[in-house]
């Protein structure tokens, strides 16, 4: 969430950021918040004054009784004051609840370096690496190759769970396991602590990372008030909710492998063929808790770390700087990495790396303190390192041969 004080002091800046993110429904909420905040602060001032008056009356009652005087009038005044004060305190509580209900509906503001735009067409390609493979035959899409080899079974997955839930079979299952081990080893060697988080989270955890309210329709809700995680960002970023960390411990760096579950409502057409868009998919995530002054350095480091993995796999990729309209609700700045798909002749997103600044930390109440200084909110960052399905699609398509098979890159040899 944004700080109510920041919104109060910078309403035009907040509205400009909302317009840039094209979250137009949030625009009238800014003025509503400012009005509620002003009324609440006036009430708090009056309540403080009345409490002071209440203490004075209590002392007067005490003195009167000590001197044997009649304190009936003073007691009546004190009772009237207490009743009025109780009424004002209830009004203040209602205003505070209204503010807390509306604040999460205001998106994070885009960083000044995020290019303005109106759609994904305005994202900026800032880097491209590798040469697209060429073949002396017509390259096939991964679903044809995987189906012929029997390593991914889309039809039986659909029979059991519906579309978007494939079976990985034999060497296909081994390839998934190889990617998991390679990615986790890669990040662990760079000082990231491996964690194995829960796959079910409570609503408060989803609220903490900004999935609620915003992406409820993307998540599977199950009995008991739990949600299946759409990404391990949710449980791992909640790891230090409500804590005050020692400044010397920062940055805290974590990596996690999990399956992820997304409803992906409205997905249809050729973009959902094969592994392009799944309801259940595997991913290794990177999460960093950083000091504010270091968070944008970490955004670049995380992005570069994901790129190094793609280079290790020999997959041509490009880095996109996302425009203001194509960032998520919680993100201040975001990069996407896309790999080249030789069989489909298009780019496939395999990683998003984002800086949330203190937007999540304010919800999570995750702070740090240096010495005796007042605690400050950390900055949180996360990035895919990497998402498996489209990486697998690119490996199968880019390393295919004329016989209809494919040879995995050398980086995976030790894991297969």
């Amino acid at each position: 969430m944004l700080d109510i004080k920041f919104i109060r002091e910078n309403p035009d800046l907040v509205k400009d950021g909302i317009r840039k993110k094209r979250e137009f429904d949030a625009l009238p909420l800014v003025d509503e918040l400012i009005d509620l905040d002003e009324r609440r602060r006036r009430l708090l001032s009056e309540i403080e004054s009345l409490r002071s008056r209440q203490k004075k009356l209590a002392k007067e009652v005490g003195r009167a009784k000590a001197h044997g005087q009649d304190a009936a009038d003073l007691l009546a005044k004190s009772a009237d004051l207490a009743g009025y004060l109780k009424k004002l305190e209830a009004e203040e509580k209602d205003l505070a609840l209204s503010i807390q209900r509306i604040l999460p509906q205001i998106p994070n503001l885009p960083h000044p370096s995020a290019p303005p735009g109106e759609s994904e067409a305005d994202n900026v390609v800032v880097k491209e690496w590798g040469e697209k493979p060429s073949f002396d035959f017509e390259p096939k899409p991964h679903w044809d190759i995987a189906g012929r080899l029997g390593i991914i079974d889309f039809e039986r997955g659909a029979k059991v769970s519906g579309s978007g839930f494939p079976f990985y079979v034999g060497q296909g299952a081994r390839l998934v396991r190889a990617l998991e081990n390679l990615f986790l080893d890669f990040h662990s060697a760079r000082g990231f602590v491996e964690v194995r988080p829960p796959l079910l989270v409570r609503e408060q955890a989803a609220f903490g990372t900004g999935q609620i309210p915003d992406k409820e329709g993307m998540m599977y809700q199950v009995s008991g008030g739990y949600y299946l995680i759409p990404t391990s960002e949710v449980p791992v970023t909640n790891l230090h909710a409500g804590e005050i960390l020692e400044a010397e411990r920062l940055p805290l760096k974590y990596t996690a492998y999990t399956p992820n579950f997304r409803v992906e409502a409205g997905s249809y057409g050729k973009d959902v063929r094969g592994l392009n868009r799944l309801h259940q998919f595997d991913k290794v995530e990177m999460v960093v808790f950083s000091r504010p002054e270091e968070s944008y350095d970490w955004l670049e480091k995380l992005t570069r770390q994901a790129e190094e993995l793609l280079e290790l796999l020999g997959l041509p990729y490009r880095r996109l700087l996302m425009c203001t309209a194509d960032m998520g609700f919680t993100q201040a700045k975001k990069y996407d990495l896309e790999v080249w798909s030789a069989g489909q002749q298009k780019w496939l997103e395999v990683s998003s790396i984002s800086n949330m600044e203190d937007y999540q930390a304010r919800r999570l109440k995750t702070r740090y303190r240096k010495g005796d200084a007042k605690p400050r909110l950390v900055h949180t960052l996360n990035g895919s390192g990497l998402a498996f399905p489209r990486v697998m699609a690119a490996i199968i398509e880019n390393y295919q041969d004329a016989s209809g098979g494919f040879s995995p890159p050398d980086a995976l040899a030790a894991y297969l």
Side-chain angles (χ1 to χ4, degrees):
M1 293 184 297
L2 297 180
D3 185 2
I4 184 64
K5 181 181 178 182
F6 178 84
I7 295 174
R8 180 198 315 145
E9 295 176 352
N10 303 277
D12 292 337
L13 180 63
V14 173
K15 289 179 181 178
D16 183 56
I18 290 172
R19 290 188 190 96
K20 286 179 177 177
K21 278 201 164 181
R22 303 185 71 77
E23 297 281 355
F24 299 119
D25 289 345
L27 279 173
L29 298 180
V30 176
D31 291 330
E32 185 177 353
L33 270 174
I34 291 172
D35 176 63
L36 290 169
D37 178 59
E38 185 178 342
R39 288 161 55 193
R40 179 173 178 261
R41 286 187 296 125
R42 282 201 305 265
L43 265 182
L44 285 171
S45 178
E46 186 176 358
I47 288 169
E48 185 178 354
S49 176
L50 290 174
R51 283 174 179 165
S52 177
R53 174 62 181 148
Q54 194 176 42
K55 289 178 182 178
K56 289 179 182 178
L57 270 175
K59 289 180 180 179
E60 290 177 22
V61 168
R63 282 195 297 267
K65 288 183 175 181
H67 291 87
Q69 299 171 349
D70 184 6
D73 288 345
L74 290 172
L75 287 170
K77 286 181 182 179
S78 181
D80 289 343
L81 182 58
Y84 183 55
L85 188 56
K86 186 175 182 180
K87 175 177 174 292
L88 293 188
E89 287 171 341
E91 290 180 15
E92 186 277 326
K93 184 178 180 181
D94 287 342
L95 288 171
L97 288 173
S98 295
I99 290 169
Q100 289 305 310
R101 175 180 57 81
I102 296 173
L103 266 178
Q105 301 176 55
I106 305 295
N108 201 358
L109 304 184
H111 190 267
S113 63
E118 298 184 2
S119 72
E120 62 181 17
D122 297 310
N123 295 332
V124 179
V125 178
V126 294
K127 177 182 179 180
E128 192 166 329
W129 180 91
E131 293 186 11
K132 298 175 184 177
S134 59
F135 304 92
D136 55 7
F137 58 91
E138 185 70 24
K140 296 180 175 63
H142 66 275
W143 54 83
D144 283 351
I145 300 169
R148 193 190 72 80
L149 296 175
I151 61 173
I152 306 176
D153 196 324
F154 298 101
E155 289 74 19
R156 288 189 174 92
K159 178 178 68 176
V160 172
S161 303
S163 63
F165 295 92
F167 275 101
Y168 300 94
V169 182
Q171 291 288 62
R174 291 189 66 192
L175 181 56
V176 172
R177 182 153 49 95
L179 290 173
E180 175 189 347
N181 290 328
L182 171 63
F183 294 173
L184 287 174
D185 286 351
F186 183 87
H187 298 308
S188 297
R190 285 151 181 79
F192 283 66
V193 176
E194 182 180 342
V195 295
R196 187 71 56 144
L199 303 182
L200 292 170
V201 294
R202 299 184 187 275
E203 182 176 331
Q204 183 59 35
F207 171 81
T209 49
Q211 269 66 32
I212 295 176
D214 178 41
K215 300 182 178 69
E216 296 96 327
M218 190 180 78
M219 292 188 292
Y220 288 100
Q221 188 170 6
V222 298
S223 61
Y226 289 96
Y227 290 89
L228 285 169
I229 62 169
T231 165
S232 53
E233 169 202 344
V234 178
V236 178
T237 308
N238 273 273
L239 192 59
H240 295 293
E243 297 181 19
I244 298 177
L245 306 169
E246 296 174 4
E248 294 73 19
R249 294 181 61 194
L250 299 179
L252 292 176
K253 303 176 291 181
Y254 296 104
T255 186
Y257 159 79
T258 60
N260 307 274
F261 308 89
R262 297 184 186 178
V263 174
E264 298 286 8
S267 298
Y268 61 92
K270 63 181 181 180
D271 288 336
V272 303
R273 290 290 304 273
L275 298 172
N276 285 352
R277 194 174 294 276
L278 302 177
H279 296 301
Q280 177 183 327
F281 65 97
D282 300 284
K283 179 162 64 79
V284 167
E285 189 78 358
M286 303 175 286
V287 172
V288 169
F289 298 84
S290 162
R291 300 186 194 199
E293 64 271 18
E294 298 173 349
S295 67
Y296 279 96
D297 289 337
W298 272 106
L299 178 64
E300 300 300 322
K301 290 176 183 177
L302 288 179
T303 306
R304 182 63 196 131
Q305 195 158 308
E307 288 176 344
E308 288 175 345
L309 260 180
L310 292 172
E311 291 171 13
L312 186 64
L313 293 170
L315 297 176
Y317 68 85
R318 64 181 187 178
R319 182 200 293 198
L320 276 66
L321 175 58
M322 312 308 282
C323 75
T324 53
D326 201 28
M327 280 194 291
F329 195 84
T330 60
Q331 297 155 347
K333 186 174 181 180
K334 175 185 174 185
Y335 290 113
D336 270 5
L337 299 181
E338 299 180 336
V339 293
W340 177 248
S341 160
Q344 301 174 73
Q345 290 292 296
K346 66 178 183 180
W347 295 98
L348 303 175
E349 178 202 325
V350 293
S351 179
S352 291
I353 307 97
S354 306
N355 188 355
M356 314 298 188
E357 297 186 355
D358 61 11
Y359 191 86
Q360 292 177 328
R362 183 168 286 105
R363 295 179 179 219
L364 296 164
K365 297 180 175 60
T366 303
R367 298 174 291 169
Y368 75 99
R369 177 164 47 206
K370 186 173 183 179
D372 296 327
K374 183 179 178 181
R376 296 181 62 192
L377 292 168
V378 300
H379 278 195
T380 59
L381 304 96
N382 65 77
S384 316
L386 301 158
F388 291 16
R390 294 171 187 166
V391 168
M392 288 182 67
I395 288 172
I396 292 170
E397 294 181 13
N398 292 2
Y399 286 95
Q400 65 181 287
D401 55 44
S403 69
F406 72 99
S407 299
D410 293 341
L412 288 169
Y415 297 94
L416 286 171

